[in-house]
């Protein structure tokens, strides 16, 4: 069993192997479950428009493509180069979207986002990284932070509920909506 003290390098290698095997490792483009989760996520986000939204852990850009229509500016980032290549294929044609390669929290961009989307990404981070991310969000975010997490077991050291609890320790309580298999947590940050 993995321990939370394992180095982050192991998670990055695990993610890189998943993307080497498929450019859609979690069937984001085709799964009805993902489509339903995306609809619930966009409902929780609202229509915007957002002036400077940020998605951390954008994967192949499937959700970001749907979010982009609600944003004047959308910055997305992912730590895996193969994910970024796939994301660029769908997002580069959209002039309001910027695609960045980098790891949260260490490579977070110089932004003051009015929406931050953390969809199925928190449990890939270590507790220390989630705490660092929370500090960055508290200092920088001027609007809601939406965290979407599978509630079952993961292949990572953390599961979704435990990862959210760590973020709550930094940001305070969230409004939580529980769905079949996943939960959406909305943290209201001051403008
Ligand atoms: C399960 S996918 C979710 C993709 C997308 N957010 C969605 O919900 O459809 C998680 C993504 O987060 C990325 N990721 C994991 N840890 C990260 C980190 N510390 N910084 C940036 N991206 C990360 C992974 O490479 C992967 O592409």
């Amino acid at each position: 069993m993995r321990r939370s003290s394992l180095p982050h390098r192991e998670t990055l290698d695990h993610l890189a192997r998943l993307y080497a095997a498929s450019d859609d490792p979690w069937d984001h483009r085709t799964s009805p479950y993902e489509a339903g989760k995306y609809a619930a996520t966009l409902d929780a986000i609202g229509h915007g428009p957002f002036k400077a939204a940020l998605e951390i852990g954008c994967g192949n850009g499937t959700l970001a493509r749907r979010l982009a229509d609600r944003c004047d500016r959308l910055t997305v980032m992912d730590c895996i180069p193969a994910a970024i290549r796939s994301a660029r294929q769908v997002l580069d044609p959209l002039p309001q979207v910027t695609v960045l390669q980098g790891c949260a929290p260490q490579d977070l961009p110089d932004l003051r986002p009015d929406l931050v989307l953390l969809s199925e990404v928190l449990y890939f981070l270590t507790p220390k990284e989630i705490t660092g991310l929370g500090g960055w969000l508290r200092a920088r975010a001027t609007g809601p932070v939406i965290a979407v997490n599978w509630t079952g077991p993961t292949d990572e050291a953390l599961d979704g509920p435990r990862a959210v609890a760590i973020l709550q320790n930094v940001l305070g309580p969230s409004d939580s909506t529980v769905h079949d298999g996943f939960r959406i947590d909305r943290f209201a940050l001051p403008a």
Side-chain angles (χ1 to χ4, degrees):
M1 183 168 148
R2 300 189 56 202
R3 290 173 291 117
S4 58
S5 57
L6 281 173
H8 190 60
R9 181 78 249 162
E10 185 173 324
T11 301
L12 293 178
D13 289 347
H14 164 63
L15 287 165
R17 278 195 298 275
L18 290 177
Y19 279 106
S22 166
D23 69 350
D24 192 15
W26 295 276
D27 298 330
H28 287 139
R29 297 187 189 119
T30 53
S31 150
Y33 166 79
E34 293 296 334
K37 182 156 59 80
Y38 289 161
T41 300
L42 291 168
D43 274 357
I45 285 173
H47 288 290
F50 300 98
K51 288 191 187 322
L54 172 66
E55 185 187 6
I56 298 171
C58 63
N60 59 21
T62 307
L63 177 55
R65 176 66 194 85
R66 290 162 171 74
L67 176 61
D69 294 342
R70 302 172 184 214
C71 303
D72 296 340
R73 297 283 321 154
L74 170 61
T75 302
V76 303
M77 67 183 284
D78 201 285
C79 57
I80 302 298
I84 288 296
R85 283 194 292 278
S86 293
R88 288 207 161 112
Q89 282 181 9
V90 287
L91 300 172
D92 272 358
L94 305 177
Q96 75 274 37
V97 182
T98 301
V99 181
L100 301 175
Q101 187 188 319
C103 264
Q106 48 270 48
D107 301 321
L108 284 162
D110 185 11
L111 279 182
R112 290 188 64 78
D114 58 351
L115 168 74
V116 179
L117 176 57
L118 304 166
S119 174
E120 306 291 2
V121 65
L122 276 181
Y123 46 78
F124 290 106
L125 278 63
T126 63
K128 188 174 169 195
E129 287 170 333
I130 296 173
T131 301
L133 171 62
W136 186 90
L137 292 168
R138 208 174 45 191
R140 296 291 194 110
T142 63
V145 174
I146 306 290
V148 184
N149 285 282
W150 164 246
T151 46
T154 68
D155 292 333
E156 314 309 318
L158 285 176
D159 59 21
R162 282 194 292 157
V164 171
I166 296 166
L167 193 60
Q168 287 169 331
N169 284 340
V170 185
L171 296 183
S174 54
D175 279 338
S176 190
T177 318
V178 178
H179 299 256
D180 191 12
F182 67 97
R183 60 186 271 181
I184 299 179
D185 289 86
R186 181 187 182 91
F187 295 88
L189 292 186

